[in-house]
Amino acid sequence: MIEFENVSFTYKKKDELVLRNVTFSIKKGELVAFVGRNGAGKTTLIKHINGLLRPAEGEVRVNTENIIKKPISEMAKIVGLAFQNPNHQLFAETVKKELEFGPKNLGIDEEEREKIVLDIAKQFNITHLLERSPFELSGGERRLVSIASVLTMNQQILVLDEPSFGQDYRQKEMLGNYLKELSDNGMTIIVVSHDIDFISEYIPRVIVLLDGEITADGATLDILSDDDLIRKSDLDRPILLDLVDSIKSKYPEFQSFLKETMIADNLLTILTQEKTKKGGSM
Ligand SMILES: Nc1ncnc2c1ncn2[C@@H]1O[C@H](COP(=O)(O)OP(=O)(O)O)[C@@H](O)[C@H]1O
Ligand SMILES: [Mg+2]
């Protein structure tokens, strides 16, 4: 469980606040995305979860305990963080060594380590890359390796800054499904992302940041179908919603068609919401 209570932060004393009165709470096993335009304060915020940055005011609690006095080394056992730029994180000669590093530090013996590395590599479809240097991989592959290397330590909380960046459709699908599975198994997962379509497909709750303040927090489909909020916060509208709109304007009989075919649960949910909002016919 993660709680922020009136957290404010500034990089330099005289500067204006980068986080203002940030308050939210995330339960164990939740899968949540932070969104907001560049400079909104997303990276700054998540660095507070493992103590890399400390609040100027307010309190950050992890598992109900204020973490202000907890050293980063202690927090690293609870919170895994994959940085926005994998180049800042990767360092080993081979992908295998990269993946082994965390478990080795935790004192896990070689046999068990091998198993962890092979399992995670298989899960991420990167087995064929194990002997390669992380630095000769594509951006998307490198991103996957950096996420996989955090997951080898099996922490309770996982924080990923822009995890789907640079990835193709299949990699995103694998990642999205895997994150869902991990959260179903009780891992708390926080994602920072610009990728609204990835979020609308895989992440059930969204928290919106604008100039260091939380402007919305709720169910993903509610938030992303709020056109005013999307505009105000400078976010992209999900392609799914554009699609629904253009189909609706061309084919008024679309809803009964959908009911018959049940193409996608998501589409139906959105249509139902739109209908309730507009009080009746589409
Ligand atoms: N190390 C730093 N020193 C000073 N200012 C910073 C530093 N890192 C980020 N900032 C500033 O803090 C604000 C929030 O940045 P950041 O948290 O990186 O936003 P986001 O991740 O949403 O793009 C921006 O105005 C940025 O310029
Ligand atoms: Mg950032």
Side-chain angles (χ1 to χ4, degrees), residues 38-39 41-44 46 84 161-162 192 194:
N38 269 334
K42 305 178 298 294
T43 298
T44 304
I46 59 166
Q84 191 164 358
D161 206 344
E162 300 284 356
V192 166
H194 274 96

Side-chain angles (χ1 to χ4, degrees), residues 57-70:
E57 277 175 50
E59 209 170 286
V60 176
R61 292 187 291 271
V62 172
N63 299 333
T64 72
E65 196 178 343
N66 185 348
I67 65 163
I68 190 81
K69 296 246 162 65
K70 286 218 165 193

